[in-house]
Amino acid sequence: MRRPIIAGNWKMSKTGPEGAALAVGVAKAIGDIAGRRADVVLCPPFTALQAVAGALAGSAVKLGAQNVHWEKEGPYTGEVSPAMLRAIGCAYAIVGHSERRQYFGETDEGVNKRTRAAVGFGLTPIVCVGERLEERKAGRTGEVVTRQVRAALAGLTPEEVRQLVMAYEPVWAIGTGVAATAGDAQEVAGLIRKLLAETAGGDAAAQVRIQYGGSVKPENIADFMALPDVDGALVGGASLKADSFAAIVTAGAAAER
Ligand code: PGA
């Protein structure tokens, strides 16, 4: 049985003090769920990591970054290394979010480098894949997700694949209020698990947690958690308020699976 994993992606929101307050609110509102019934991760912007790490001290809620570079250090202006993220207390890093791919030119190859580096430095990558609206309309969802997953996993050993978290985030569902249907989410999550099995074998694939992301709310989380291949959620907008994120964590951890 895979343990549910609910992560909040704050994107470009929250200063250090604001983030610390939100983290305290989340930790209080979810009580003892984190670490016992679900893994709960907060992913603030880099500038709030330190403050949020402080606010989460003594809590089982984990810290994640929104991206990670592949080198330990060096001439990469504007980037943050996996070693730096470890040093500040991160356990997770989002990799390949569609906003990085869409607005900042991140490629499948870069996503692979970031994924490999994260694992190598002991961070759990949350590897995001998902099709754009025109790709779905053209019937290309399977082809696009297959390409993204195969590229992200290239060169990883089965032992490394086991450590990943995957996130299926259809681009058209992000921030739109229009979530995927449960049927569509299961179809793609099932495809991702099949691709994991092809790359790393059935045992490893059975252990990897796959999140759904895109307009997840307290009202729809249970529908996604009930799917056989969905083990959690990557939450954007609804993670910016302690009560809505806590409601998602609570309903997600309690959902029939
Ligand atoms: P959303 O974002 O929940 O606001 O749709 C999800 C994400 O981008 O991870």
Side-chain angles (χ1 to χ4, degrees), residues 7-11 94 97-99 128 167 169-179 211-217 233-240 248:
N9 173 12
W10 296 357
K11 309 193 180 182
I94 297 171
H97 190 279
S98 64
E99 287 153 13
C128 302
E169 296 208 307
V171 178
W172 46 270
I174 294 177
T176 59
V178 183
Q211 298 176 316
Y212 166 77
S215 297
V216 171
K217 305 177 202 87
L234 184 54
V235 185
S239 72
L240 292 173
I248 290 171

